[in-house]
Amino acid sequence: LAARLGRGSFGTTYRMRKVAGIDARRYAVKMIESEELDGAGLEKEARLLSMIEHENTLRFYDAFWHDSEDGRLFVIVTELLTGGSLAEKIAAAPPLHPPEVATLMQQVASGLAYMHSLNLQHRDLKPANVMLDATGRAKIIDFGLACVSSASRSRTKTKAVGTDAYMSPEKADGKRYGPPDDVWAAGCILAELLLGR
């Protein structure tokens, strides 16, 4: 592994160093200590990631357990995104020009619609979880809270998970969650891109 790219709630992401036979510059490696999250949850995230293959979602390559001197790690290998997040873009140059916002949101909506067509819900869509690749294409990332949606779940009172500022009122009240809550979060991102706050 080479440079550390970032530290999230459940692990650290690194840029992969050169590996014989492959162009390692294309890969990011997220390493998660098994004590930080239950193994079943990690394997579930990897299974969900392996289902999602769209130009506006993070590309998944592999996931596996690795035993090291520091303990047992769960490793997720994905594409390397180098364009920063929408949160960083908003902070650097608020507000964005409407034509650029329209292009970015079309890409976010396309990735989200694809996930919903697979009956998957992201549950934590926000500017920090939308990254840009080297060409400026928006890609949805961080599927740690993603789940399979179901009609029965949408009618069941449940604990709200995600980021408060991007939750729909229904989700925040614990009344239901489903694809419409992701759409609400996308609307919040749209407003933030246009207003710069």
Side-chain angles (χ1 to χ4, degrees), residues 35-71:
E35 293 79 21
E36 296 185 29
L37 205 64
D38 69 283
L42 294 171
E43 290 170 1
K44 175 190 155 223
E45 179 180 356
R47 279 196 306 275
L48 290 176
L49 268 169
S50 69
M51 294 171 60
I52 303 166
E53 196 169 328
H54 188 273
E55 64 181 358
N56 298 119
T57 60
L58 180 69
R59 181 175 287 276
F60 166 82
Y61 292 110
D62 199 4
F64 53 89
W65 288 100
H66 173 70
D67 292 313
S68 73
E69 297 173 358
D70 299 323

Side-chain angles (χ1 to χ4, degrees), residues 98-153:
E100 182 181 9
V101 171
T103 298
L104 290 170
M105 288 309 301
Q106 186 278 329
Q107 294 168 356
V108 171
S110 182
L112 204 54
Y114 174 77
M115 287 184 63
H116 292 168
S117 75
L118 298 176
N119 210 29
L120 299 176
Q121 186 193 354
H122 188 278
R123 296 205 298 173
D124 197 21
L125 193 64
K126 57 187 177 183
N129 285 341
V130 179
M131 295 282 293
L132 304 175
D133 67 13
T135 70
R137 183 190 303 275
K139 293 188 174 237
I140 298 169
I141 68 162
D142 196 346
F143 300 94
L145 294 179
C147 70
V148 176
S149 295
S150 74
S152 62
R153 194 177 276 141

